Amino acid sequence: MNNNNNNSKGKLKQKQNKVELFLLILYAIGFYAFCIRRSLHLSRHHFPKLYGLRSGWLFSPRLNDVSDAQWRNFRANLPLLTLVFGVFTMLANISRQCFHLRARGMSIVWLFLSLIYLSYLHGACIVFIFLIASANFLLVKIFAKAKYFPLVLWTFNLFFLFCNRVYQGYSFSKFGQRWAYLDNFRGTFRWHICFNFVVLRMISFGYDYHWAHQDSCFDQEKHIQRCHVCKSGKICYQILQERNVHTNNFTFTIYLSYLVYAPIYISGPIISFNAFASQLDVPQNYYSVKEVTWYGLRWVFGLSLMELMTHLFYFNAFAVSGSWKMLSPMDIFIIGYGVINFMWLKFFLIWRYFRFWSLIAGIEAPENMPKCVNNCHNLESFWKSWHASFNKWIVRYMYIPLGGSRRKLLNIWVIFTFVAIWHDLEWKLLSWAWLTCLFFVPEMLVKSAANALQAEGALGGFIFHELRAAAGAITITCLMVANLVGYVIGPSGINWLISQFLRKEGLSVLGFMLLSFYVGTKLMFQISDAKQRMQ
């Protein structure tokens, strides 16, 4: 009798889930149809007042939104970058095959190729890069075994991170008039912008060398038993990162080739020294040729979506022009939501492009955008999926050394402040960092309380599920606000933004926004449950 009751309850629950899923999908279709229609209207109506629009090639004579400098430069240089990396990876792979090169030999090949690349990018300024890098190498080799080594390493690298920004990459004339002529050969790209990534690699090299002289805490056998990738005979990225490479691999040539490795030099993804050196020795075997090809084809599809978006919707142009200040609260929400999606797709394409060439060269770097921005309902999952390689770097070299989960509430303030300073020395980025930390605190407290108080019974489970969905809606709203403050309106625009949504019209829009994100969060739960059933 009990079995029959359980079966009938199970069938009823499945039926309810199907009805709920149908209603959620129906709402999502209506939401996106409304947003697309409204975005098209806004772009058509306001385009004469927007900056950064250029003649497009789709739907002529429609204009194309190239107001974002980073995307505009990347898009314009795509043909040249593709030619350069195509030649570089071909030469590197041929050299590896013909001369049976291992880590040291491949480091020389990639150092030579990367120097050609850097000479074009930075001209005479590569002198600054190699002087600072060489000083860091000596510092690591001298102090690596000392207990206070982390303090020395961080002090050195933070010092140059600040100085590079404050002095805008330095001027040769500062070192004497006889060197002033070199200021005419500074290349096509500001070296101190790229050097932010070099700083992360220098810290990675220092820590990995420091830990190579200690007993490893990583249980490789236990990891292999749990990891489906390693069980299949392949090597996952975590083993490459956590497993100490031999101290013989911490040479100056391998170190330099790691710092300036051409495919991921400009923007990452960020890879640890251990992972780089081990794959320089033995190329990655996680991705087959077929999978790398498919990865490239998916990138081309993503590029097509971006071209379609920038020709139809001028989200970023609204942000750059400041025209969103003239819009209604509903239109501000739509533009803000569009800007977040544009930013996600931009970084998705840039990071995956460089990672693709790295994979062809035999070096697997972590995926930076493993999940869609519209499939993250809490801050923790968002930051694990947005610039994920940076997140891995932070966990390994900052979060764990600072005490890990034991001091989580304190650690996030240190970490996000560093992340803001690493990006640039701007108040709006610090505002973004501290706002994110403020939003993180209640999420962590609620999560701890939820884990302590497990819901019992059908009613308790239903209430817990609904509260999680409501919390997800609030979190997504907070994420939008933090990112708009950090990258669009700045800290001075917070009061204006709040005042817009506390008006009568704004309150109804706020309700619509929270309802939409609530529905979106429940859809994310449905997707997550479906994935678990498939495993």
Side-chain angles (χ1 to χ4, degrees), residues 139-212:
L139 180 142
V140 170
K141 288 290 183 176
I142 294 168
F143 296 103
K145 295 179 183 179
K147 288 184 179 180
Y148 54 84
F149 170 72
L151 178 62
V152 174
L153 182 69
W154 276 101
T155 303
F156 177 87
N157 282 280
L158 286 176
F159 173 77
F160 279 104
L161 190 66
F162 277 103
C163 288
N164 293 348
R165 286 288 182 170
V166 171
Y167 294 102
Q168 294 293 303
Y170 315 110
S171 171
F172 284 100
S173 61
K174 297 282 186 185
F175 302 96
Q177 285 304 309
R178 60 177 174 172
W179 305 110
Y181 74 97
L182 291 174
D183 285 322
N184 298 319
F185 304 98
R186 298 187 70 89
T188 59
F189 204 89
R190 292 175 295 170
W191 74 272
H192 60 282
I193 303 297
C194 294
F195 200 79
N196 285 16
F197 286 96
V198 176
V199 164
L200 300 183
R201 296 178 194 123
M202 292 198 301
I203 292 171
S204 175
F205 173 81
Y207 265 114
D208 286 359
Y209 186 66
H210 174 65
W211 290 330

Side-chain angles (χ1 to χ4, degrees), residues 165 420-421 423-434 485-487 491:
R165 286 288 182 170
I421 291 168
H423 277 91
D424 208 346
L425 300 177
E426 291 185 11
W427 276 114
K428 70 176 185 179
L429 288 173
L430 283 171
S431 302
W432 159 82
W434 295 334
V485 169
Y487 295 98

